[in-house]
Amino acid sequence: MTISMPNEELQESLDSLNKRGWYASDRIPARGVKTKDRDLKLKFKCDCKHSWSTMKGLSSFKLWKDGGDKNIFCELFTQQCKRCDEFCQPEVYNDQFDSIVDSVTYAYDHPGKKKGIRKKAGNPRKSHDSKRCEACYSGKCSLANRGDEDEGEE
């Protein structure tokens, strides 16, 4: 249920990296890949009209070189709707996503250095529901088994 490019705006954000020699890819090679996982605020809108957001949505970036080209692949993890049990694809807040993409590509280009990330403000109101979190199932969720506050109704 993991998605790589959830919407056209996300693709446009990744395409803007071309100016710095980065290319969005839909395939990951078997070797030479570095993974950078980052939390970001995501919003979900289910077909049943239920919507919610999470302060700790997982984005997983795969970065590698292929010849002289630098490539990036992004995965965003789904969550299950508590009303109808369908898995829903996340939507990103583009300003925060751009900041995170900039940060992970900078870290790849400049090993040992970090670049700040613009965090999206939010008010966590509910405990994390690990039974509905794809990142928990994959073993990558930063909130797994902690019950930290995470989701908020919109």
Side-chain angles (χ1 to χ4, degrees):
M1 289 179 225
T2 302
I3 57 175
S4 58
M5 299 294 167
N7 61 40
E8 286 181 32
E9 290 175 353
L10 178 56
Q11 182 64 48
E12 288 173 18
S13 294
L14 293 175
D15 287 344
S16 72
L17 291 168
N18 289 351
K19 294 175 187 171
R20 295 194 327 235
W22 284 93
Y23 299 95
S25 180
D26 60 355
R27 284 183 232 115
I28 304 170
R31 293 190 297 272
V33 177
K34 291 190 178 192
T35 299
K36 305 272 186 197
D37 292 339
R38 298 289 187 272
D39 290 338
L40 75 159
K41 186 173 181 180
L42 296 172
K43 51 191 167 186
F44 296 85
K45 294 177 186 169
C46 186
D47 290 340
C48 76
K49 306 297 183 216
H50 180 61
S51 63
W52 68 98
S53 63
T54 180
M55 298 294 294
K56 296 278 191 171
L58 180 65
S59 58
S60 184
F61 296 92
K62 315 293 188 218
L63 304 109
W64 68 95
K65 287 185 180 175
D66 183 11
D69 294 334
K70 294 180 282 186
N71 296 279
I72 185 168
F73 176 89
C74 175
E75 295 176 292
L76 298 174
F77 291 81
T78 63
Q79 289 187 359
Q80 189 178 30
C81 178
K82 68 179 181 180
R83 289 201 183 140
C84 71
D85 292 331
E86 291 296 317
F87 276 88
C88 301
Q89 297 192 7
E91 295 178 25
V92 299
Y93 292 89
N94 285 341
D95 57 336
Q96 185 192 22
F97 184 77
D98 290 345
S99 177
I100 289 173
V101 169
D102 191 42
S103 174
V104 297
T105 56
Y106 182 86
Y108 185 89
D109 287 339
H110 305 92
K113 294 185 178 181
K114 291 185 179 183
K115 193 171 195 177
I117 297 172
R118 288 186 306 268
K119 294 272 183 173
K120 198 79 174 162
N123 228 359
R125 293 185 290 258
K126 298 206 175 178
S127 293
H128 183 64
D129 188 349
S130 59
K131 293 177 289 201
R132 298 184 181 282
C133 173
E134 181 192 11
C136 282
Y137 285 115
S138 70
K140 291 186 163 211
C141 184
S142 65
L143 296 174
N145 301 317
R146 288 191 0 212
D148 288 355
E149 290 187 353
D150 181 42
E151 296 177 13
E153 296 292 320
E154 289 187 344

